[in-house]
Amino acid sequence: MAREQFQTLTEPMYYILLALTEECCGVDIMEKVRDISGGRVRVGPGTLYAMLSRFEENDMIRKTAEEGRRKSYIITNTGKQMLRAEYERLKTMIRDGEEFWDGL
């Protein structure tokens, strides 16, 4: 299910979930992704809302409020587990790369 579909996260997915460790709406998520990544990753509305829909369908986030067109979300425990697993995977990749490059 969610774990299989999201075996690894793309950069935008990773940063969207990081942004959602605090409740926020779409516009705020886009700003937080840009801020957290130091401007390196930008998420447009099309990508963002497609990802939010997929995350919500897989119980990785939940909607917390809806006022007109403005919807707010927050990460769930399932989402936190996926985010943590990706964080650990990335740390392992860094460690492996350091060992490789240090040996050259």
Side-chain angles (χ1 to χ4, degrees):
M1 293 152 211
R3 180 160 302 282
E4 293 170 7
Q5 182 178 5
F6 298 109
Q7 189 67 35
T8 60
L9 301 176
T10 64
E11 279 186 295
M13 291 171 155
Y14 183 80
Y15 284 102
I16 290 168
L17 289 175
L18 277 178
L20 287 171
T21 57
E22 295 178 355
E23 180 182 5
C24 51
C25 68
V27 173
D28 294 338
I29 295 168
M30 288 187 280
E31 283 182 27
K32 285 178 79 171
V33 166
R34 188 176 56 246
D35 291 345
I36 294 167
S37 70
R40 194 176 53 77
V41 177
R42 293 176 183 260
V43 179
T47 299
L48 175 65
Y49 292 106
M51 290 312 319
L52 291 175
S53 178
R54 286 180 61 200
F55 286 157
E56 192 173 19
E57 288 170 8
N58 287 278
D59 190 39
M60 295 171 67
I61 65 170
R62 68 177 171 81
K63 192 182 312 173
T64 57
E66 186 170 358
E67 299 170 23
R69 293 181 57 187
R70 183 182 175 114
K71 299 174 186 174
S72 295
Y73 301 88
I74 196 157
I75 194 168
T76 63
N77 285 334
T78 300
K80 287 177 187 174
Q81 290 171 358
M82 298 293 293
L83 184 59
R84 183 64 183 201
E86 183 66 5
Y87 171 74
E88 294 299 332
R89 185 184 77 82
L90 293 170
K91 281 186 4 182
T92 299
M93 289 175 62
I94 295 294
R95 190 171 46 250
D96 293 346
E98 286 173 342
E99 289 175 14
F100 174 80
W101 289 109
D102 289 347
L104 290 180

PDB file of all heavy atoms in Angstrom, residues 2 5-6 50-61:
ATOM      1  N   ALA A   2       0.724   2.086   1.034  1.00  0.00           N
ATOM      2  CA  ALA A   2       1.478   3.343   1.057  1.00  0.00           C
ATOM      3  C   ALA A   2       2.970   3.092   1.051  1.00  0.00           C
ATOM      4  O   ALA A   2       3.715   3.734   0.324  1.00  0.00           O
ATOM      5  CB  ALA A   2       1.093   4.181   2.275  1.00  0.00           C
ATOM      6  N   GLN A   5       4.025   2.044  -2.462  1.00  0.00           N
ATOM      7  CA  GLN A   5       3.885   3.148  -3.405  1.00  0.00           C
ATOM      8  C   GLN A   5       4.936   4.224  -3.154  1.00  0.00           C
ATOM      9  O   GLN A   5       5.437   4.830  -4.082  1.00  0.00           O
ATOM     10  CB  GLN A   5       2.491   3.756  -3.302  1.00  0.00           C
ATOM     11  CG  GLN A   5       2.260   4.873  -4.293  1.00  0.00           C
ATOM     12  CD  GLN A   5       0.855   5.426  -4.220  1.00  0.00           C
ATOM     13  OE1 GLN A   5       0.062   5.041  -3.376  1.00  0.00           O
ATOM     14  NE2 GLN A   5       0.548   6.327  -5.111  1.00  0.00           N
ATOM     15  N   PHE A   6       5.273   4.436  -1.903  1.00  0.00           N
ATOM     16  CA  PHE A   6       6.223   5.478  -1.536  1.00  0.00           C
ATOM     17  C   PHE A   6       7.493   4.847  -0.972  1.00  0.00           C
ATOM     18  O   PHE A   6       7.995   5.267   0.056  1.00  0.00           O
ATOM     19  CB  PHE A   6       5.600   6.430  -0.518  1.00  0.00           C
ATOM     20  CG  PHE A   6       4.386   7.150  -1.041  1.00  0.00           C
ATOM     21  CD1 PHE A   6       3.120   6.832  -0.574  1.00  0.00           C
ATOM     22  CD2 PHE A   6       4.509   8.127  -2.011  1.00  0.00           C
ATOM     23  CE1 PHE A   6       2.004   7.490  -1.052  1.00  0.00           C
ATOM     24  CE2 PHE A   6       3.399   8.795  -2.493  1.00  0.00           C
ATOM     25  CZ  PHE A   6       2.141   8.470  -2.019  1.00  0.00           C
ATOM     26  N   ALA A  50      -1.488  17.542  -6.479  1.00  0.00           N
ATOM     27  CA  ALA A  50      -1.478  16.115  -6.841  1.00  0.00           C
ATOM     28  C   ALA A  50      -0.866  15.296  -5.706  1.00  0.00           C
ATOM     29  O   ALA A  50      -1.389  14.234  -5.331  1.00  0.00           O
ATOM     30  CB  ALA A  50      -0.708  15.894  -8.144  1.00  0.00           C
ATOM     31  N   MET A  51       0.241  15.794  -5.136  1.00  0.00           N
ATOM     32  CA  MET A  51       0.903  15.077  -4.042  1.00  0.00           C
ATOM     33  C   MET A  51       0.034  15.079  -2.784  1.00  0.00           C
ATOM     34  O   MET A  51      -0.059  14.056  -2.100  1.00  0.00           O
ATOM     35  CB  MET A  51       2.267  15.687  -3.719  1.00  0.00           C
ATOM     36  CG  MET A  51       3.324  15.480  -4.781  1.00  0.00           C
ATOM     37  SD  MET A  51       3.505  13.799  -5.400  1.00  0.00           S
ATOM     38  CE  MET A  51       3.375  12.789  -3.976  1.00  0.00           C
ATOM     39  N   LEU A  52      -0.581  16.193  -2.465  1.00  0.00           N
ATOM     40  CA  LEU A  52      -1.446  16.246  -1.286  1.00  0.00           C
ATOM     41  C   LEU A  52      -2.564  15.224  -1.403  1.00  0.00           C
ATOM     42  O   LEU A  52      -2.900  14.533  -0.435  1.00  0.00           O
ATOM     43  CB  LEU A  52      -2.016  17.653  -1.087  1.00  0.00           C
ATOM     44  CG  LEU A  52      -1.026  18.733  -0.670  1.00  0.00           C
ATOM     45  CD1 LEU A  52      -1.715  20.096  -0.635  1.00  0.00           C
ATOM     46  CD2 LEU A  52      -0.369  18.419   0.666  1.00  0.00           C
ATOM     47  N   SER A  53      -3.137  15.115  -2.589  1.00  0.00           N
ATOM     48  CA  SER A  53      -4.206  14.137  -2.810  1.00  0.00           C
ATOM     49  C   SER A  53      -3.699  12.708  -2.596  1.00  0.00           C
ATOM     50  O   SER A  53      -4.347  11.913  -1.905  1.00  0.00           O
ATOM     51  CB  SER A  53      -4.758  14.309  -4.226  1.00  0.00           C
ATOM     52  OG  SER A  53      -5.748  13.353  -4.469  1.00  0.00           O
ATOM     53  N   ARG A  54      -2.537  12.388  -3.171  1.00  0.00           N
ATOM     54  CA  ARG A  54      -1.960  11.049  -3.002  1.00  0.00           C
ATOM     55  C   ARG A  54      -1.605  10.777  -1.552  1.00  0.00           C
ATOM     56  O   ARG A  54      -1.851   9.689  -1.032  1.00  0.00           O
ATOM     57  CB  ARG A  54      -0.721  10.885  -3.885  1.00  0.00           C
ATOM     58  CG  ARG A  54      -1.064  10.719  -5.350  1.00  0.00           C
ATOM     59  CD  ARG A  54       0.156  10.559  -6.215  1.00  0.00           C
ATOM     60  NE  ARG A  54       0.935   9.386  -5.860  1.00  0.00           N
ATOM     61  CZ  ARG A  54       2.214   9.220  -6.178  1.00  0.00           C
ATOM     62  NH1 ARG A  54       2.848  10.164  -6.836  1.00  0.00           N
ATOM     63  NH2 ARG A  54       2.858   8.140  -5.831  1.00  0.00           N
ATOM     64  N   PHE A  55      -1.020  11.749  -0.888  1.00  0.00           N
ATOM     65  CA  PHE A  55      -0.665  11.590   0.525  1.00  0.00           C
ATOM     66  C   PHE A  55      -1.914  11.361   1.378  1.00  0.00           C
ATOM     67  O   PHE A  55      -1.931  10.520   2.256  1.00  0.00           O
ATOM     68  CB  PHE A  55       0.091  12.805   1.050  1.00  0.00           C
ATOM     69  CG  PHE A  55       1.514  12.926   0.585  1.00  0.00           C
ATOM     70  CD1 PHE A  55       2.136  14.165   0.593  1.00  0.00           C
ATOM     71  CD2 PHE A  55       2.244  11.826   0.164  1.00  0.00           C
ATOM     72  CE1 PHE A  55       3.458  14.303   0.196  1.00  0.00           C
ATOM     73  CE2 PHE A  55       3.561  11.955  -0.237  1.00  0.00           C
ATOM     74  CZ  PHE A  55       4.169  13.187  -0.218  1.00  0.00           C
ATOM     75  N   GLU A  56      -2.959  12.128   1.096  1.00  0.00           N
ATOM     76  CA  GLU A  56      -4.190  11.997   1.880  1.00  0.00           C
ATOM     77  C   GLU A  56      -4.833  10.626   1.644  1.00  0.00           C
ATOM     78  O   GLU A  56      -5.287   9.975   2.586  1.00  0.00           O
ATOM     79  CB  GLU A  56      -5.154  13.130   1.537  1.00  0.00           C
ATOM     80  CG  GLU A  56      -6.310  13.244   2.503  1.00  0.00           C
ATOM     81  CD  GLU A  56      -7.174  14.471   2.259  1.00  0.00           C
ATOM     82  OE1 GLU A  56      -7.133  15.049   1.155  1.00  0.00           O
ATOM     83  OE2 GLU A  56      -7.894  14.833   3.190  1.00  0.00           O
ATOM     84  N   GLU A  57      -4.850  10.176   0.394  1.00  0.00           N
ATOM     85  CA  GLU A  57      -5.411   8.859   0.063  1.00  0.00           C
ATOM     86  C   GLU A  57      -4.669   7.732   0.784  1.00  0.00           C
ATOM     87  O   GLU A  57      -5.252   6.691   1.068  1.00  0.00           O
ATOM     88  CB  GLU A  57      -5.337   8.610  -1.445  1.00  0.00           C
ATOM     89  CG  GLU A  57      -6.304   9.423  -2.262  1.00  0.00           C
ATOM     90  CD  GLU A  57      -6.031   9.322  -3.755  1.00  0.00           C
ATOM     91  OE1 GLU A  57      -5.173   8.499  -4.172  1.00  0.00           O
ATOM     92  OE2 GLU A  57      -6.675  10.076  -4.508  1.00  0.00           O
ATOM     93  N   ASN A  58      -3.398   7.934   1.052  1.00  0.00           N
ATOM     94  CA  ASN A  58      -2.563   6.914   1.689  1.00  0.00           C
ATOM     95  C   ASN A  58      -2.350   7.171   3.175  1.00  0.00           C
ATOM     96  O   ASN A  58      -1.427   6.616   3.770  1.00  0.00           O
ATOM     97  CB  ASN A  58      -1.225   6.800   0.951  1.00  0.00           C
ATOM     98  CG  ASN A  58      -1.392   6.121  -0.377  1.00  0.00           C
ATOM     99  OD1 ASN A  58      -1.430   4.898  -0.455  1.00  0.00           O
ATOM    100  ND2 ASN A  58      -1.532   6.889  -1.446  1.00  0.00           N
ATOM    101  N   ASP A  59      -3.173   8.027   3.767  1.00  0.00           N
ATOM    102  CA  ASP A  59      -3.155   8.300   5.205  1.00  0.00           C
ATOM    103  C   ASP A  59      -1.805   8.829   5.695  1.00  0.00           C
ATOM    104  O   ASP A  59      -1.415   8.602   6.827  1.00  0.00           O
ATOM    105  CB  ASP A  59      -3.547   7.035   5.994  1.00  0.00           C
ATOM    106  CG  ASP A  59      -3.781   7.326   7.463  1.00  0.00           C
ATOM    107  OD1 ASP A  59      -4.352   8.391   7.774  1.00  0.00           O
ATOM    108  OD2 ASP A  59      -3.370   6.515   8.314  1.00  0.00           O
ATOM    109  N   MET A  60      -1.096   9.544   4.829  1.00  0.00           N
ATOM    110  CA  MET A  60       0.174  10.136   5.227  1.00  0.00           C
ATOM    111  C   MET A  60      -0.026  11.553   5.761  1.00  0.00           C
ATOM    112  O   MET A  60       0.792  12.049   6.521  1.00  0.00           O
ATOM    113  CB  MET A  60       1.151  10.125   4.051  1.00  0.00           C
ATOM    114  CG  MET A  60       1.520   8.701   3.642  1.00  0.00           C
ATOM    115  SD  MET A  60       2.463   8.626   2.115  1.00  0.00           S
ATOM    116  CE  MET A  60       3.977   9.392   2.628  1.00  0.00           C
ATOM    117  N   ILE A  61      -1.106  12.185   5.336  1.00  0.00           N
ATOM    118  CA  ILE A  61      -1.504  13.492   5.845  1.00  0.00           C
ATOM    119  C   ILE A  61      -3.011  13.455   6.054  1.00  0.00           C
ATOM    120  O   ILE A  61      -3.701  12.574   5.544  1.00  0.00           O
ATOM    121  CB  ILE A  61      -1.129  14.654   4.886  1.00  0.00           C
ATOM    122  CG1 ILE A  61      -1.915  14.546   3.573  1.00  0.00           C
ATOM    123  CG2 ILE A  61       0.366  14.718   4.652  1.00  0.00           C
ATOM    124  CD1 ILE A  61      -1.795  15.760   2.665  1.00  0.00           C
TER     125      ILE A  61
END
